[in-house]
């Protein structure tokens, strides 16, 4: 692909893609409707003490019923693209075998509404809601999972591939495998070294198999994987914390993209994962893709923890670092550097598939949500992205996380990332000041 041409719209390439992102479990609700099967997150939400306030995704934003309102909100924003995920247990209630027509038909309606509004659907196959029935068979610790995923990808490709061309295999490989199989911070809530290593390798195999299926079934498909990458900084300048940071860096930033794009595991993981790697696996994993999906929030501070499975733990950022209202450190310069490093390392066009700012937003006395903190965050990060473009980073698009306030995993509904406020008592939607700001930015960037 050739580099996009610049125009006079503040320096943004004319075909730069501006979008918003969501995910199935975080917004859809209708957990028990129209034949949807349970996912590992339904299970986790029912375990006492796992999720803040005992929240669940049972209703979430009720997007399943209000998707037309949500498409209208996106049209108002002026976005060119919408990244959403398919709920695997909605279309295959047991994860494999008989498909659920009502579930498949929901995504038909959503995709058709998006296309009618002039918004391109970007379909991600997996944003963490594994069917519970597959977890009962071992989930990602079973080598069979690659085949289950390939069959599910084929179903999606056959059904939607006439209208959807942008496909992502997985969202944040490292996050859901590390949190779900090593740290018990997410579903399915396992904390076991070997389970984690198997999950890493099998998810990589599933990615490779999924890419092949999508490529063979969807004419003109444009395929990527979505990786969460951020700088890992040792909390203290000690050999222990430095070693912890180096290993977390391998897990967080390299175990998946290096395997998928360079056909190798980073050194410390390579040694540990060897027993699970069979002849020919690295070639199965490393399949040609069209773009690199980057989710980026801020750096992680790492410290040594002898009691942890891998000997690393999350440390604290220095006290004087700017933070979001939910405590995440804010370093836009590291976002710029990440975009430049990525371009050099993997040589793929980059789409920023998530970037955004969490808060505790509340309507003021006039009912308005004036989220200046989010506008400042987005302004700084979009500015950093523009600097990266100036330095030669091959960035082709940017998606804000998220369109709506939604179910933020272990934080439940208490952390809000939306451009649009959701009242979780009524499900009423109110665009925040940041929504108007983003709409204006997009309009300005498109001036020819
Ligand atoms: C990312 C997840 C997304 C959301 C944001 C805040 O790690 O992909 O679902 O939770 O963080």
């Amino acid at each position: 692909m050739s580099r996009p041409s610049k125009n006079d719209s503040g320096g943004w390439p004319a075909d730069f893609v501006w979008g918003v992102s969501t995910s199935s479990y975080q917004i859809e609700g209708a957990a028990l409707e129209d034949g949807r099967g349970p996912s590992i997150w339904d299970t986790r939400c029912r375990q006492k003490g796992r999720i803040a306030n005992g929240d669940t995704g049972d209703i979430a934003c009720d997007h399943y019923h209000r998707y037309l309102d949500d498409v209208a909100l996106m049209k108002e924003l002026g976005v060119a693209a919408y990244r959403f995920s398919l709920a695997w247990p909605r279309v295959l209630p047991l994860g494999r075998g008989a498909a659920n027509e009502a579930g498949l038909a929901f995504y038909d309606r959503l995709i058709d509404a998006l296309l009618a509004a002039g918004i391109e659907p970007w379909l991600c196959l997996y944003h963490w809601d594994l069917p519970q029935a597959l977890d009962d068979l071992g989930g990602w610790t079973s080598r069979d999972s690659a085949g289950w995923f390939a069959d599910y990808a084929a179903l999606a490709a056959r059904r939607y591939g006439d209208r959807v061309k942008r496909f992502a295999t997985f969202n944040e490989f490292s996050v859901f495998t590390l949190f779900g199989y090593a740290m018990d911070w997410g579903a399915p809530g396992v904390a076991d070294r070997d389970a984690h290593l198997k999950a890493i390798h099998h998810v990589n195999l599933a990615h490779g198999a999924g890419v092949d299926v999508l490529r063979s079934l969807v004419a003109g498909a444009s395929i990527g994987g979505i990786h969460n990458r951020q700088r890992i900084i040792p909390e203290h300048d000690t050999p222990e914390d430095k070693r912890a940071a180096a290993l977390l860096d391998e897990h967080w930033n390299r175990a998946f993209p290096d395997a998928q794009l360079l056909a190798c595991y980073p050194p410390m993981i390579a040694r540990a994962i060897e027993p699970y790697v069979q002849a020919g696996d690295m070639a199965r994993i490393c399949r040609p893709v069209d773009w690199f999906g980057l989710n980026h929030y801020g750096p992680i501070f790492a410290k040594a923890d002898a009691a942890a499975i891998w000997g690393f733990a999350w440390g604290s950022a220095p006290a004087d670092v700017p933070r979001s209202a939910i405590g995440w450190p804010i370093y836009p310069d590291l976002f710029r550097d990440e975009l430049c490093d990525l371009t050099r390392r993997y040589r793929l066009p980059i789409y920023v598939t998530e970037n955004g700012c969490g808060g505790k937003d509340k309507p003021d006395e006039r009912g308005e949500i004036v989220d200046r903190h989010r506008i400042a965050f987005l302004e700084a990060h979009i500015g950093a992205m523009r600097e990266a473009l100036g330095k030669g980073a091959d960035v082709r698009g940017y998606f804000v996380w998220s369109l709506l306030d939604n179910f933020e995993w272990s934080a439940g509904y208490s952390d809000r990332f939306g451009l649009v406020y959701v009242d979780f008592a009524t499900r009423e939607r109110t665009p925040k000041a940041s929504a108007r700001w983003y709409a204006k930015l997009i309009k300005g960037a498109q001036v020819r």
Side-chain angles (χ1 to χ4, degrees), residues 152-197:
Y152 159 55
L155 175 72
R158 290 204 175 92
R159 180 79 177 214
Y160 309 118
D162 57 337
R163 288 155 291 160
V164 177
K165 298 298 171 191
R166 296 283 193 168
F167 284 91
T169 53
F170 286 82
N171 176 71
E172 296 188 359
F173 305 83
S174 60
V175 180
F176 78 86
T177 49
L178 182 65
F179 288 4
Y181 290 91
M183 298 183 72
D184 193 12
W185 283 2
V190 175
D192 178 89
R193 194 173 180 278
D194 291 298
H196 182 216
L197 289 166

Side-chain angles (χ1 to χ4, degrees), residues 23 26 83 127-128 171-172 175 228 295 297 328 354 401 408-409 417:
S23 90
Q26 294 178 274
R83 176 174 80 101
H127 200 124
W128 309 357
N171 176 71
E172 296 188 359
V175 180
N228 185 317
N295 290 0
Y297 289 89
W328 294 13
E354 281 185 30
W401 181 271
E408 179 47 34
W409 310 114
F417 277 83

